[in-house]
Amino acid sequence: MSSVSDWEVTNPVKENRAGLIGKGVERYEGPLKVTGAAPYAYEVEPPSPPAYGVMLPAAIARGRIVEAEVSAAEAAAGVHLVWTHKNVPQQGVKGARAHPRSTAPARPVLENDRVAFFGQPVAFIVADTLENAQAAAGLVRLTYEAEAASVDFQAHMSEADFPPNEQDTQLGDVAAGLANSPVSLDETWTTPIQNHCQMEPCATLAWWEGDKCIVHTSIQMVKPAQHGLAETLMIDRDAVHLMTRYIGGGFGGKGQSYDDLALAALGARALGRPVKVAYSRQHMMHGTIHRPATVMRVRLGAERNGRLTTMSLMTTTHCHRDGNFTEHASNFARSLYAAPNRLTGHRLVYLDLPGAGPMRAPGEASGMLSLECAMDELAEKLAMDPVELRILNEPEVDPETGKPFSIRQLVRCMRQGAQTFGWEKRDPRPGRRREGRWLIGLGMSAAIRGNFLLPAKASFTVDAMGVITVRQGMTDIGTGTYTVLAQIAAETLGVPLGDVRVEIGDSELPPAPGSGGQFGAATAGSAALDAGMNLRKAIAELAVADPVSPLFGGPTHDITFQDGFIAIANRSERLAELISRNRPEGLTASGEIRPAADARNWSQHTYGAHFCEVGVDTITGEVRTRRMLGVFAAGRILNWRTARSQLTGGMIWGVGSALTEGNAVDPRYGSLINQDLAGYLVPVQADIGEIEAIMLDEVDDKANPMGIKGVGELGISGAGAAVANAIYNACGVRVRDYPITPDKLLAALATRGAA
Ligand code: MOS
C-alpha cells in the first residue's frame, strides 16, 4: 500500500461489513482504567521493591553551580545516593549519536555546572521512600553564581528575528492592498505562556536485568525515547526495553523525554534495584516544555462587498536559547482564506525561560485566537454576518500553493453549525440581550488544522482460538488508540471485537511514530489495515491449500471474513479451526504504511466551525460559556465516541485559553508564578455548560487507505476565538490580550456604562 491507486482494492474498512468502523465502541482499556488495573509508569509493579528518586530543581534562570554541599543529604535517613554534576555517572555527550540511525541523540542529565533555566534538575536523591528522598532533597545546599537572564518576552521583543531557515510567505503587496481597501483592520493579539497540565506527570520506573535496562515511562513516541536513552547510557539500543502502556495525557508535552528517564535508569543501575522518578506538578511547569507566548499582528483589507484584498498574520514568539522551537501561529492562515495580497511569517526571541515546545495544535491553537477574531471585527465593520464573510472568502484552491484541496467542507461545517445552533437569532449589535445582570452573546469561528501521515509498521497474529493480536509500538495517550486498532482488526479479519487483543506502547513491537500532530490514528491505523490485509491473504492461501478445509481449491480473491468464519460462496469454516489445524502456534503477518508519493500534490486539512453562547456578568466581569457547538469535517470517523471526546476536549481547552489559562513569569527568577492547578486555571465540568461536537460524513481518499484524518487537535483550533467573539457580541468589549479575565472586562464595561 504505497500509492493512492493501490488503495482502490478490497478494503474492509470501507466495506465495514460488521459496522464496527465509525461505531461508538467503548474504550478497550476502559474497564482496566476505572478499576485501577491499568498502571501508569510510576505504578507498574517492579520485580523487587523500588527506591524513590527525587529531582532538585534549579533556583535560578541562568548561571553556574559553584558549590554543592550534599553531606547532610547523604547522611539523612534512608538515603541511597545523592548526585550532582560532580558525581553523576558518565553519559553520552549531549546531542551525540553513537548509532547513526538513532531517532534521538544522547540527553545527559546533571551534565555540568551550567544552569540554563529555572527548574532544571540539578541534583538527584534516591532513598528508600519518597518522603525520605524529598526530605533529603531539602538538605542539599547549592550555591549559584547567577548571570543576567533574559526572561521578559515583552522587554526583549526588539531582538525578534527570523527563526532559522525560515522565510515569510508573501504574495502581492500588503501595504498597497491595505491602503487601497475601503475597509481595513490592523490589530494585535497576545497570548500568554500555557502549560499542558497532563493529569499524569512525566515519570519513569527502571530496573536492570543483567545488561538490559527495563524502563516504564510516560511518553508519546516510543522509538526516540528508547534510542535517546540508549545513547545517554552509552549502551546498545536493543539493551533498552522501553514500555509506555498507559499514559495520562500527552498533548505534545510528552513528545520528548525529560530527565526522569535517564535518572531512573542510571539510579537503578547504580543501586542494583528498581528506581522510580516522577516530576511534581510544580516541577512539570518548569522542568518540561510549555506553549510559548505570542504577539500576533493581523492586517485585513476588504472591498465593501466583503471580498478580502489583503490578509496578513505575523507572529512573534519565544523559545529557549538552546533551541529553536517556533510556535507557528501564522501557518494555518496560508490555507484558510482567499486574498490576493498576503503576508505571513514568524519572528523568534531567544530567552532563558524553560523550554518552549509543542502543545495541542501547535500553531493553530494560538494563531486562530487572532485571525478568527479579526474576521469577526471585519464583519462588523462591513455590516456583514461573520459566517457569510467567511463563505464569501472561501478559496477554490489553496490560496498560496495553488494546490487543489483533497476535500474541504468548511462551508458545510459553518452552514450546518449555524442552523443547528440557532445563529439566525443572534443580534449583531452587541449588548442587546440581557438576562438580569447577565449580558448574553453569540460568537463563531472557523477551524482548520493540517493532516499528516507518517511511516509506520504493525503486525497481526491469529492464534488457534481465532483470537487476533495487534502488535505495534504505538501509544495511547488517552485518545482511544487501543480501541480503534481493535475495531480495525475486528473489521478486517471478521472477528468479534472481544476476540481482538491490542499490544502497544513497547519498543520491541513493530515501530510506529506514536501520538502527536493528530497523525496517530491515521498513521497507526493504516499500518494496521495493511497488516490485516496481509493476514487475510495468508489465511486465504492456507485455506485453499488445505484439503481438509471446505474452502479447499477455491479462488482466494472471493474469500470473505465474517463472524469468526471464513467463506467462499456457501462453503465456510470457523477461522479458529483452520488455524488450529494448520498453524497451532499461530499465523502472523506484518504491514506498513508509507505516505503516498503524490500526497504532497494536495492541500490537506481538517476543518470545523465553532459556535458559542456566553453570559457576561456585568457586575463581576465573569464569563460563563452557556452553549458550545462544533461541527467538524475530518475524514472518515473510526469511532464517534472517542472522536467526540477528542473534539469536545479540545473545545473545552479552547475555553481555557480564552478565559483562564496562562503562566505569569516572575522576572526576578525566570520562574512561572502560578505553578499548580490552584493557580493555573483550567475549565472544569461546571464551567462548560452544554457542549456538542458533530462530525460530518466525509471520506478523504487522498489521506490514506482508510480515508480517515485526525481529530485530536482540530477541536481546540478556533474554539477560543468563538468564545471571544461571543463575549464581544454580549457586551461590546474586545479584549485582544488573552486570557479574557474579569479584570480586563470590568474596566471596559465600566467605561461603556454597561454595568
Ligand atoms: Mo502534539 S502538540 O504534536 O503531540
Side-chain angles (χ1 to χ4, degrees):
M1 287 201 181
S2 57
S3 80
V4 171
S5 59
D6 286 350
W7 302 348
E8 305 304 327
V9 300
T10 304
N11 186 326
V13 165
K14 293 189 175 178
E15 287 184 350
N16 201 15
R17 282 169 179 260
L20 290 172
I21 301 300
K23 192 173 175 183
V25 171
E26 291 184 2
R27 281 176 193 264
Y28 175 93
E29 82 288 18
L32 297 177
K33 281 201 174 144
V34 297
T35 58
Y40 289 151
Y42 202 81
E43 305 164 331
V44 168
E45 199 67 50
S48 58
Y52 294 80
V54 166
M55 296 175 283
L56 183 69
I60 61 168
R62 180 178 162 90
R64 249 166 31 85
I65 303 163
V66 290
E67 221 182 292
E69 176 48 57
V70 299
S71 51
E74 283 174 336
V79 170
H80 297 315
L81 65 80
V82 181
W83 285 343
T84 65
H85 66 279
K86 292 187 171 173
N87 62 338
V88 73
Q90 202 200 342
Q91 302 159 75
V93 176
K94 186 176 180 176
R97 281 180 172 84
H99 309 269
R101 285 199 307 280
S102 280
T103 50
R107 195 182 182 288
V109 292
L110 309 175
E111 187 190 10
N112 53 39
D113 63 349
R114 296 291 312 168
V115 174
F117 61 92
F118 183 98
Q120 173 188 321
V122 285
F124 182 57
I125 301 92
V126 184
D128 56 347
T129 65
L130 178 62
E131 292 76 12
N132 279 339
Q134 284 169 333
L139 299 174
V140 173
R141 289 283 168 264
L142 298 179
T143 309
Y144 301 98
E145 194 175 272
E147 296 165 12
S150 307
V151 297
D152 185 337
F153 177 40
Q154 294 286 342
H156 290 269
M157 198 73 74
S158 62
E159 298 163 18
D161 204 348
F162 286 91
N165 307 316
E166 198 178 310
Q167 292 172 337
D168 297 338
T169 71
Q170 187 165 3
L171 282 171
D173 183 335
V174 164
L178 277 183
N180 297 327
S181 295
V183 182
S184 66
L185 168 152
D186 182 351
E187 298 288 355
T188 297
W189 280 261
T190 61
T191 61
I193 290 175
Q194 296 176 345
N195 251 283
H196 305 77
C197 302
Q198 305 96 333
M199 292 307 291
E200 181 207 15
C202 294
T204 301
L205 163 65
W207 67 85
W208 291 72
E209 291 173 3
D211 288 337
K212 191 150 188 175
C213 181
I214 314 298
V215 53
H216 290 265
T217 194
S218 185
I219 196 97
Q220 289 172 231
M221 284 103 180
V222 172
K223 277 287 153 188
Q226 179 204 15
H227 292 174
L229 180 57
E231 295 284 356
T232 305
L233 298 172
M234 298 189 295
I235 59 176
D236 202 67
R237 292 177 300 176
D238 293 340
V240 171
H241 183 186
L242 185 139
M243 282 159 280
T244 184
R245 294 263 165 77
Y246 303 103
I247 301 165
F251 315 120
K254 294 174 182 171
Q256 62 178 85
S257 66
Y258 302 96
D259 292 10
D260 57 304
L261 183 61
L263 285 169
L266 289 165
R269 187 167 65 183
L271 296 172
R273 63 186 290 186
V275 169
K276 23 165 103 169
V277 186
Y279 279 80
S280 66
R281 174 62 59 199
Q282 293 81 357
H283 200 186
M284 282 297 290
M285 294 272 182
H286 295 107
T288 72
I289 56 171
H290 57 256
R291 194 201 300 279
T294 64
V295 175
M296 298 177 282
R297 182 184 182 192
V298 181
R299 283 170 289 174
L300 294 176
E303 304 290 356
R304 291 228 176 271
N305 65 9
R307 215 167 271 287
L308 286 174
T309 61
T310 309
M311 193 264 333
S312 174
L313 171 52
M314 294 298 295
T315 300
T316 305
T317 181
H318 60 86
C319 74
H320 191 273
R321 71 171 74 253
D322 290 346
N324 53 26
F325 172 82
T326 305
E327 186 69 47
H328 283 119
S330 299
N331 279 1
F332 77 93
R334 294 171 182 165
S335 298
L336 192 50
Y337 299 118
N341 303 298
R342 322 171 61 86
L343 174 66
T344 51
H346 306 89
R347 300 292 181 271
L348 197 51
V349 177
Y350 294 97
L351 297 176
D352 298 299
L353 289 173
M359 184 165 127
R360 204 173 194 175
E364 286 84 346
S366 310
M368 300 204 82
L369 290 168
S370 67
L371 181 64
E372 284 304 291
C373 290
M375 287 296 280
D376 199 68
E377 297 195 25
L378 186 69
E380 189 187 32
K381 287 180 186 231
L382 291 160
M384 280 184 79
D385 182 86
V387 172
E388 297 307 320
L389 175 64
R390 287 169 170 85
I391 291 172
L392 184 72
N393 289 289
E394 178 72 1
E396 289 184 0
V397 294
D398 188 288
E400 302 211 354
T401 63
K403 290 177 187 176
F405 293 110
S406 58
I407 182 169
R408 177 167 165 128
Q409 298 208 72
L410 173 57
V411 169
R412 229 185 111 197
C413 291
M414 290 192 286
R415 289 220 192 277
Q416 183 166 331
Q419 189 181 17
T420 308
F421 197 69
W423 183 249
E424 80 286 351
K425 292 197 207 78
R426 169 182 178 267
D427 188 331
R429 298 166 301 174
R432 291 302 171 119
R433 194 170 147 204
R434 185 182 270 272
E435 290 179 13
R437 60 195 264 184
W438 295 89
L439 288 168
I440 315 299
L442 304 187
M444 62 82 55
S445 165
I448 182 172
R449 170 72 189 165
N451 188 58
F452 310 97
L453 186 70
L454 298 177
K457 296 184 178 179
S459 80
F460 275 27
T461 299
V462 55
D463 70 12
M465 307 289 286
V467 170
I468 309 294
T469 301
V470 179
R471 292 189 174 89
Q472 189 174 48
M474 178 55 190
T475 56
D476 188 329
I477 57 177
T479 44
T481 309
Y482 278 106
T483 315
V484 297
L485 287 175
Q487 288 172 270
I488 291 167
E491 194 60 67
T492 306
L493 276 308
V495 301
L497 260 180
D499 284 351
V500 179
R501 306 281 176 270
V502 180
E503 294 179 8
I504 60 172
D506 189 319
S507 61
E508 301 197 340
L509 298 173
S515 306
Q518 76 172 18
F519 56 66
T523 297
S526 297
L529 174 62
D530 191 44
M533 294 302 288
N534 289 336
L535 185 57
R536 279 167 65 114
K537 191 158 171 266
I539 291 167
E541 283 165 2
L542 209 55
V544 300
D546 174 7
V548 181
S549 173
L551 279 63
F552 177 67
T556 54
H557 59 266
D558 280 353
I559 196 163
T560 58
F561 294 73
Q562 208 161 355
D563 301 329
F565 283 82
I566 50 173
I568 296 175
N570 58 1
R571 295 184 282 159
S572 72
E573 159 165 55
R574 191 172 278 282
L575 175 60
E577 278 165 25
L578 175 80
I579 299 300
S580 60
R581 217 168 42 242
N582 289 277
R583 288 284 191 282
E585 75 287 2
L587 178 63
T588 296
S590 301
E592 73 178 300
I593 183 71
R594 295 169 187 279
D598 60 358
R600 286 160 189 262
N601 297 340
W602 308 94
S603 178
Q604 191 169 92
H605 312 268
T606 58
Y607 297 96
H610 295 279
F611 293 83
C612 179
E613 177 180 305
V614 301
V616 177
D617 185 327
T618 50
I619 295 170
T620 65
E622 182 189 8
V623 176
R624 304 293 300 172
T625 54
R626 295 158 49 117
R627 292 193 297 136
M628 289 186 87
L629 171 69
V631 181
F632 302 99
R636 183 196 307 278
I637 298 298
L638 285 172
N639 179 323
W640 68 257
R641 189 189 301 269
T642 54
R644 181 182 175 279
S645 290
Q646 287 299 298
L647 290 164
T648 54
M651 292 164 68
I652 291 166
W653 206 335
V655 174
S657 62
L659 299 180
T660 56
E661 285 186 59
N663 284 114
V665 172
D666 187 330
R668 297 169 300 171
Y669 308 110
S671 61
L672 304 173
I673 293 172
N674 45 343
Q675 37 181 284
D676 58 29
L677 292 173
Y680 185 97
L681 301 181
V682 299
V684 297
Q685 202 71 17
D687 292 321
I688 291 304
E690 278 178 42
I691 186 164
E692 194 47 86
I694 295 172
M695 292 153 266
L696 296 186
D697 277 337
E698 183 174 292
V699 176
D700 190 336
D701 277 319
K702 307 299 187 293
N704 50 62
M706 298 184 294
I708 68 166
K709 294 192 277 198
V711 292
E713 300 184 324
L714 178 61
I716 189 175
S717 305
V723 177
N725 293 337
I727 291 171
Y728 176 76
N729 182 244
C731 68
V733 178
R734 296 273 185 201
V735 177
R736 302 187 189 91
D737 174 30
Y738 291 101
I740 306 173
T741 44
D743 53 312
K744 297 173 190 172
L745 280 174
L746 271 184
L749 284 171
T751 57
R752 285 177 52 89

